[in-house]
């Protein structure tokens, strides 16, 4: 039921965001017990919250916002965040650019995830794109890293999930 509420609020937020500028506007979703805040002051962020405050999903672009990552998926050193989605209870995604090579980015995450008890499930290179996936034995923590060479260095995306 909580997932349905989050999806409903997210859809409502997308509709609100498409209606024009609403700097800092909060929209309460009747009967769903939550809120959507769209910030259109250039930050490109949107926050969806359950009414109990336990579930927060934050969407950001242009590197603005509070990027929170777990210990097994820290932000790559010197990375420039270009977008992120954080779900306080289940996971998130960060897209970033770096001058490092794609292989170096993936090696960093291989080391961090192994130190946190995750085991590799996929390690693949295809046409300059390096993909790495890892999980704990109980699958309560998952990590996926995709790093590709770009005109400005490397574009990478990390996606993680956590279950209690």
């Amino acid at each position: 039921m909580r997932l349905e509420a989050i999806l409903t609020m997210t859809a409502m937020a997308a509709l609100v965001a498409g209606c024009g500028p609403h700097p800092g506007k909060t929209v309460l979703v009747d009967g769903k017990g939550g809120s959507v805040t769209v910030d259109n002051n250039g930050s490109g962020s949107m926050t969806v919250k359950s009414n109990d405050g336990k579930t927060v999903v934050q969407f950001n672009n242009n590197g603005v916002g509070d990027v929170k990552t777990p210990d097994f998926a820290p932000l790559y050193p010197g990375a420039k965040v270009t977008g992120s989605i954080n779900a306080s209870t289940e996971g998130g995604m960060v897209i970033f650019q770096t001058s490092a090579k794609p292989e170096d980015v993936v090696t960093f995450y291989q080391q961090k995830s192994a130190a946190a008890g995750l085991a590799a499930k996929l390690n693949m290179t295809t046409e300059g794109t390096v993909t790495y996936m890892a999980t704990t034995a109980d699958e309560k923590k998952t990590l996926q890293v995709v790093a590709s060479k770009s005109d400005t260095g490397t574009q990478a995306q990390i996606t993680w999930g956590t279950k209690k």
Side-chain angles (χ1 to χ4, degrees):
M1 191 65 175
R2 182 185 298 208
L3 181 59
E4 288 177 16
I6 290 171
L7 292 175
T8 300
M9 289 187 291
T10 301
M12 292 294 296
L15 290 172
V16 170
C19 294
H22 300 285
K25 184 163 183 146
T26 298
V27 177
L28 297 176
V29 181
D30 291 334
K32 298 299 179 190
S35 66
V36 176
T37 302
V38 178
D39 187 359
N40 198 11
N41 65 0
S43 71
S45 68
M46 176 174 56
T47 304
V48 180
K49 293 182 182 181
S50 62
N51 74 343
D52 63 5
K54 291 182 181 177
T55 303
V56 178
V57 179
Q58 185 176 32
F59 303 87
N60 297 294
N61 64 18
N62 300 323
V64 179
D66 188 14
V67 177
K68 295 178 184 174
T69 61
D71 62 342
F72 62 91
L75 190 58
Y76 189 81
K80 179 184 180 241
V81 176
T82 58
S84 67
I85 300 172
N86 280 313
S88 64
T89 57
E90 296 179 14
M93 176 182 69
V94 175
I95 301 167
F96 62 88
Q97 293 179 337
T98 179
S99 60
K101 295 177 185 175
E103 297 81 8
D104 294 340
V105 172
V106 170
T107 298
F108 173 82
Y109 287 104
Q110 288 171 331
Q111 293 169 351
K112 293 297 183 182
S113 62
L118 283 77
K121 295 295 180 186
L122 175 70
N123 195 357
M124 176 178 70
T125 302
T126 307
E127 297 184 21
T129 298
V130 183
T131 303
Y132 172 72
M133 295 172 65
T135 185
T136 53
D138 60 6
E139 296 186 352
K140 289 190 177 185
K141 294 179 183 178
T142 59
L143 172 67
Q144 177 179 343
V145 181
V146 179
S148 301
K149 190 159 179 62
S150 71
D151 293 340
T152 58
T154 294
Q155 171 113 6
Q157 173 182 308
I158 59 170
T159 307
W160 67 90
T162 57
K163 296 178 187 174
K164 296 189 187 232

